[in-house]
Amino acid sequence: MNASFLMISSLQMENRALRKKLEAHQKGEAIQNLRAEYRSVIAEKDREIKRVMAENADLREGNHKIRDLWMDTCEDIWAENQKIIAKQSKKIEQLNDRIWEVIRNGDDRVKEVTECYEKQLSEKDKVIEDLENQVAHLKAVLGHDGTNTNLPTAQTPPGKTKVIPNTREKTGRKKGGQPGHARHMLKPPCEEDVNDSVVHEVEDEICPNCHSDQRIRLEKKESRYEYDLEIKVIRRRHDYYFYRCLDCGQEYVAALDPNLRAECQYGSGVKAMALSLTGTVNAAINKVPLFLSGITDGEIKPSEGYISNLQKKAYKGLKQFSEDLYRHLIQLKDLHWDDTVIMMETKRACLRFYGDEKIAYFTAHAEKGMEGLDEDNVLNVLSPETRVMHDHNKVSYNKKYRFKNLECNAHLQRDIQKAADDTGHPEWLELKKLISETIKKRNLKKEEGETSFRKEEIQNFRTSVEDILERARKTNAKDQNRYYTHDEEVLIKRIEEYYENYFSWLTDFTISVTNNVSERALRGVKSHMKVSGQFESVEAARYYARIRSYLETCRRNGVNEIDALSRLADGNPYTVEEILSYTK
């Protein structure tokens, strides 16, 4: 930044020096010098002519006596004098011609120098403008955060205040409960649910009134309740008795549980806790044994290899669940999808989400692109009636897809805010305010039971958007800055081209305004990346994706996570029908 300002200062000093020279030529000082030189030469020649003429006069006056003698020669002398005069006159004329040539050349030179200086000034002004634009661009980049780009809060540059995106407007009221607001407190459990009690007796205390130590305990009491957690290690023995057939004498044992193959192993509770730590808490594999050992006083400490193998077994155990979830997914009327970058073997890879408020379906791929979408085979099979919400993923507009595209307004408003911050053009803040206020009106109308805006309201909104974009285009044309006007022009064209995809929610309140369903679903993997750094392979990422599909779908339908993982560990995971029945 300092180098840019020093360059600007140097150019400005050189600019001033050139302007002084130009002003000198424009004031005519060079021409005046040439004219003074011309007058000096003319004066010298005039003096020489006068001297010659004086000599001729002296000759005529001093030689009267010998005039006759010199008459013949006088004509020669006169002729010679005339030659001299003619010669000198010719020299004077030549000198005059030279002087005027110098004057003319001087004017041309002044013009040439002026044009040269003006060209140099123009070039330097362009350099200064470019440097100023570069400084403005760098300032704009420094101003990018979660409010005007998709930059995660965790990636806020050092020294910059973190900005938590929040569309709620400040009311000016104090934080916490407001006057008249019901206080939320833990409710005491039912008496039949109390499984522990502590009696508090008075020991050495005396009567606060008379200080006597004589007392009797009454039946009257005051109770307080608390919820607590206790970690209990269960050391369970499974006895399988042998039997002898009375007819043939053959001995046989009761059918062994497939989960109890070894003489001693960890139970479903330990497995469920480990899968929850890796799948929900996003704990690194090497931290899970430390945690389990810590809460069990060192009795339960599985190896890292056991935790890794546990995820592989869970992935295989959820094969049928994943297939059933896929069949439900492709029948949805409204589907959200998005993807995010993950690291895999030190390379950029992709984790993708499909679903809605009830279904969460994750997939993982080594690369982000059409090949992965074809492998998922979700978008390919959707019907023309399916409405798909996304974050302006241009791939969704591929001709081979038949579904209806919807665009996320949250991303649009961030792009609008970025354009406002980068350009300083007021039209963008006006557009953002219009969209925000219209969404609020929509929510109020939706609560009142309405299903869409009236036709005149829809038309007024469209007219307002078109007017703002037209003014933004004119402002863009006047302010051609190579660092941001191109992006601004692209945004204008995008809103115009995809207007119906962005604002279909005006005509149908059942359509989502944003793609927050996908945003929330993919947020957890960012925490996983911060903790673990990367997935060791595409297989490990797919283990995570399938387990996360099971957990997230259970959570969205109110199914207890540990219970769901315990059933998975026992080889009997919840089916999709069972999970969805919780919210029917």
Side-chain angles (χ1 to χ4, degrees), residues 15-203:
N15 187 7
R16 286 194 294 269
L18 292 173
R19 288 185 182 279
K20 287 182 179 180
K21 292 181 179 181
L22 178 60
E23 289 174 359
H25 282 278
Q26 291 175 339
K27 290 178 179 179
E29 293 178 358
I31 295 175
Q32 292 176 2
N33 293 334
L34 291 172
R35 287 175 176 171
E37 182 181 356
Y38 167 76
R39 286 193 293 270
S40 176
V41 171
I42 293 298
E44 179 65 24
K45 296 304 176 181
D46 287 339
R47 286 193 295 271
E48 185 174 354
I49 291 171
K50 289 179 180 180
R51 180 179 60 78
V52 172
M53 294 179 69
E55 289 179 355
N56 290 335
D58 291 341
L59 288 173
R60 285 194 299 272
E61 293 174 0
N63 295 307
H64 289 294
K65 293 180 180 181
I66 58 173
R67 177 174 298 175
D68 295 335
L69 297 175
W70 291 94
M71 184 62 68
D72 296 333
T73 59
C74 280
E75 293 180 358
D76 296 335
I77 294 172
W78 176 256
E80 186 67 25
N81 287 338
Q82 291 298 321
K83 290 180 181 180
I84 292 173
I85 293 172
K87 186 176 181 181
Q88 295 300 326
S89 297
K90 187 176 180 179
K91 287 184 179 180
I92 291 173
E93 289 177 0
Q94 291 177 349
L95 182 59
N96 286 333
D97 293 340
R98 175 60 181 164
I99 291 172
W100 285 111
E101 182 181 357
V102 170
I103 292 174
R104 287 193 298 270
N105 291 339
D107 290 340
D108 293 339
R109 180 59 179 165
V110 168
K111 183 178 179 181
E112 181 182 350
V113 171
T114 301
E115 291 177 351
C116 180
Y117 286 167
E118 288 178 348
K119 182 179 179 180
Q120 292 179 5
L121 289 174
S122 177
E123 292 175 353
K124 289 176 172 56
D125 289 341
K126 184 65 170 60
V127 172
I128 293 172
E129 182 183 359
D130 289 344
L131 292 173
E132 290 175 346
N133 290 335
Q134 186 174 357
V135 171
H137 170 66
L138 294 174
K139 288 182 178 179
V141 171
L142 290 174
H144 290 173
D145 52 35
T147 63
N148 52 25
T149 65
N150 296 326
L151 181 71
T153 305
Q155 295 182 15
T156 301
K160 185 174 176 59
T161 304
K162 288 187 178 182
V163 178
I164 308 298
N166 188 354
T167 57
R168 294 182 179 179
E169 294 183 357
K170 294 183 178 181
T171 62
R173 294 178 294 189
K174 294 182 179 180
K175 294 182 180 180
Q178 302 300 315
H181 187 271
R183 185 179 180 184
H184 294 281
M185 299 179 64
L186 280 175
K187 295 182 179 180
C190 300
E191 286 300 323
E192 57 269 21
D193 293 335
V194 175
N195 52 17
D196 190 19
S197 62
V198 179
V199 176
H200 299 270
E201 298 279 1
V202 175
E203 296 180 356

